[in-house]
Amino acid sequence: MSSNFSESKARDAALEAHEKLHDGRRQFFKTLGVGATAASGLGSALYSSPALAYGGPYAAAFGLDPARTFMNIGTTGSTPIGVLKSLAANNALIARDPTASFNTGDMRNLIATGFGADPFEIVMSFNTTDGMSKIFSGIVLNPGDEVITTNMEHPGGNSPLAIIADRRGLTIRRVNLPTGDSYSDAEVLARFQALLTNNTKAIMFSSPPFLTGVRLPEKLLCQWAASQGLISIIDGAHGPGMLNLNFHDIGCDFYAGAGHKWQCGPGQTGILYVRNNFSPAAPATYTKVVTINGQSVTLTLPGYTNTNPLPAFYPTVSGGYSQTPGTTLQGGVRNPTHNVAATLMSIGNPSYPALRALQECCQMWDTWGRQNIENYIVALAQYLRSRLAATWGPQSMATMYDANTPNHARVALTSFNPFSAGFDYNAVLTAAQATAQATASGAAVTTLRNTHAVVVRNNTVPHTLRGSPASNAAAGTNSSPLRISTHLFHNTADVDNLVAKLLLTVPSPARGRS
Ligand SMILES: Cc1ncc(COP(=O)(O)O)c(C=O)c1O
């Protein structure tokens, strides 16, 4: 692979990423209403090299072990210390008074606007897998219907889809997602369009996919789906807490995300969005009066980019659906005045403290500013990518490194492959090479953790083939890149530390290939 990406260019990009981080950090503290002194107190290690991990602007809010740098938020996050205290206090309260309950309607009313959604549409679910299961078992699909998805879905989305495909006799068609320099948003859309038939009823994709961490063009895909009358379903496991999401603007019918990953809620918490209206059309906004703690509050919400009628959807796990058949959703016909979120959250006795903890995490993010958070962590990920590009080249990542932060790079997961020939993410591998690479990659994860106190993970990825950018590696010849998560508690010193440890651990131009 030819590369005109010089080291000096990479340094410029790294400097630019530094500046963006500075701006992002200033914006954080402006939002908080604190001055430069307080800011430097909180994040004074931003440009120094601390002996211990975590110099990010909100590191002090988290109780991560300072003896190691945790960079696998993509698997699960770390609940802020303040929220943990409240979780413990609320558990004690329930233990003391077992029938005490918290108002989950208030919770939804408090957090929905942070996601650009109506409170009737935000379900505090158990996790992404639970959300995806509720979506696939609730929509109406019949034998012969087809669902277009991708070759990079997680079992948390693939399994619920397979269950319903087996049960209903559906056909699943899979887009091969492009990687490296074959990637473009237009190419992704074209590959979905190529699989459309008269039987297609729905599309499902994860953004970002857990294998590559590349953000897909969610709105573009959902707008296309809506134009074809298709149901759009996003596995957004990594969205809440990482991205400033606006579900009404994205235009999806359903979105299942985790509460316990980037949003840093307790285990077994999730955010599930179920579109429940189609009016007003964006860019208009509308207001809704809700009650929070007994007080009337007026919420201002964005209008809908998806103005299609609501697809039929049945809550499949609920003790809140009317016990008299025919009263809630006769024939699957949905009504925007039906609080589908309340029906979906009514499942026996919940863990009120866990739900409250998720609510508090969401409110922390709202206070800090979800756009500020996204800007900061995306800039930090770009800084990491610029450092990786400087040594291993821009072709070593899931998409070519681009200092201009295109939409697909607005994400805080980085998939990086130093194990293939030419440090090329899309290098062709034989089955034997793929096996050797999986072993080398697994060993690198272990060494980084046990010897260098840095926690990342690896994946098995069906990357695009260099010789044939429209096809992907055959099963058995997948590559095994590393996946790195950068979040609020990290700073550039944490990234520099990771890169230094990678240089001691994985193949590089200086150390040679494995
Ligand atoms: C894309 C994707 N979907 C689903 C899941 C499952 O997430 P959860 O543990 O929230 O069910 C994951 C977990 O990593 C994921 O990356």
Side-chain angles (χ1 to χ4, degrees):
M1 141 140 309
S2 72
S3 159
N4 58 5
F5 192 86
S6 67
E7 204 166 309
S8 67
K9 259 189 169 172
R11 280 194 214 299
D12 288 349
L15 271 174
E16 212 173 290
H18 252 302
E19 272 164 26
K20 282 185 187 155
L21 277 169
H22 245 325
D23 287 349
R25 186 163 159 271
R26 257 200 302 273
Q27 194 53 40
F28 263 136
F29 294 112
K30 237 167 82 187
T31 311
L32 279 180
V34 295
T37 320
S40 60
L42 259 177
S44 58
L46 194 68
Y47 297 105
S48 63
S49 285
L52 294 176
Y54 309 117
Y58 283 99
F62 297 87
L64 284 151
D65 180 354
R68 74 162 59 121
T69 312
F70 179 71
M71 298 185 128
N72 187 17
I73 299 96
T75 294
T76 201
S78 171
T79 303
I81 298 164
V83 177
L84 283 178
K85 284 189 186 145
S86 133
L87 179 62
N90 287 327
N91 273 322
L93 189 148
I94 300 275
R96 198 178 157 87
D97 177 7
T99 57
S101 65
F102 302 166
N103 186 332
T104 56
D106 278 3
M107 296 182 190
R108 290 188 295 274
N109 291 340
L110 279 164
I111 68 171
T113 46
F115 296 104
D118 190 287
F120 282 13
E121 301 172 320
I122 290 292
V123 182
M124 299 166 83
S125 62
F126 298 130
N127 49 34
T128 318
T129 311
D130 173 59
M132 293 301 287
S133 302
K134 284 176 171 141
I135 295 165
F136 274 118
S137 51
I139 58 178
V140 177
L141 294 170
N142 297 308
D145 286 350
E146 297 179 2
V147 178
I148 305 175
T149 184
T150 84
N151 62 336
M152 297 217 187
E153 298 311 315
H154 188 275
N158 261 340
S159 288
L161 172 58
I163 292 167
I164 206 66
D166 282 351
R167 188 167 171 199
R168 297 275 178 226
L170 310 179
T171 298
I172 301 171
R173 298 191 180 275
R174 289 189 192 274
V175 166
N176 277 343
L177 285 178
T179 51
D181 58 359
S182 298
Y183 183 91
S184 70
D185 288 352
E187 180 63 24
V188 173
L189 175 64
R191 293 187 189 190
F192 271 84
Q193 287 172 325
L195 297 189
L196 182 73
T197 74
N198 289 337
N199 295 325
T200 309
K201 292 292 180 317
I203 65 167
M204 182 276 269
F205 58 92
S206 42
S207 181
F210 80 115
L211 297 180
T212 60
V214 172
R215 186 168 189 182
L216 300 192
E218 296 129 9
K219 187 172 175 181
L220 187 71
L221 291 170
C222 290
Q223 281 183 329
W224 170 71
S227 74
Q228 303 300 317
L230 308 177
I231 301 170
S232 51
I233 302 163
I234 302 178
D235 173 343
H238 303 276
M242 179 207 277
L243 304 169
N244 183 23
L245 297 164
N246 179 337
F247 291 133
H248 286 184
D249 182 60
I250 292 172
C252 51
D253 286 304
F254 301 95
Y255 186 111
H260 64 93
K261 294 182 190 285
W262 302 83
Q263 189 59 74
C264 292
Q268 222 176 46
T269 56
I271 296 288
L272 165 64
Y273 167 78
V274 179
R275 182 169 70 92
N276 203 46
N277 210 338
F278 37 78
S279 171
T285 55
Y286 68 103
T287 55
K288 180 164 186 162
V289 179
V290 298
T291 307
I292 300 175
N293 292 329
Q295 306 287 314
S296 270
V297 176
T298 303
L299 306 179
T300 301
L301 294 158
Y304 292 80
T305 56
N306 186 344
T307 52
N308 283 3
L310 299 173
F313 173 75
Y314 290 93
T316 41
V317 187
S318 178
Y321 194 81
S322 167
Q323 293 171 61
T324 312
T327 34
T328 311
L329 289 174
Q330 200 170 16
V333 177
R334 292 171 55 207
N335 178 349
T337 63
H338 169 226
N339 190 344
V340 67
T343 304
L344 283 161
M345 278 181 69
S346 176
I347 307 176
N349 188 51
S351 169
Y352 289 111
L355 293 173
R356 171 60 51 82
L358 176 61
Q359 170 214 310
E360 288 175 359
C361 287
C362 291
Q363 288 179 288
M364 280 177 97
W365 261 241
D366 290 343
T367 307
W368 292 343
R370 287 184 183 275
Q371 191 59 49
N372 295 335
I373 292 170
E374 180 185 314
N375 291 346
Y376 177 83
I377 61 178
V378 166
L380 190 59
Q382 282 288 82
Y383 173 71
L384 165 63
R385 292 175 202 130
S386 71
R387 296 272 346 249
L388 298 176
T391 298
W392 287 272
Q395 78 293 341
S396 62
M397 286 165 270
T399 64
M400 296 283 282
Y401 171 69
D402 179 345
N404 295 319
T405 319
N407 182 62
H408 66 253
R410 290 208 63 84
V411 81
L413 282 167
T414 299
S415 177
F416 158 63
N417 192 344
F419 304 107
S420 286
F423 307 109
D424 179 0
Y425 200 90
N426 285 343
V428 177
L429 300 175
T430 63
Q433 285 168 331
T435 306
Q437 182 165 125
T439 306
S441 170
V445 170
T446 306
T447 304
L448 283 167
R449 184 187 179 100
N450 295 348
T451 309
H452 299 305
V454 179
V455 181
V456 300
R457 70 164 282 176
N458 65 342
N459 282 121
T460 306
V461 175
H463 55 285
T464 310
L465 286 176
R466 167 82 29 241
S468 168
S471 6
N472 284 32
T477 62
N478 292 341
S479 59
S480 300
L482 302 175
R483 192 189 75 182
I484 301 149
S485 304
T486 36
H487 207 0
L488 275 179
F489 27 82
H490 300 122
N491 68 349
T492 53
D494 294 317
V495 169
D496 291 342
N497 174 57
L498 164 73
V499 174
K501 300 300 160 50
L502 283 171
L503 284 166
L504 297 173
T505 310
V506 302
S508 68
R511 298 178 79 225
R513 295 206 299 108
S514 53

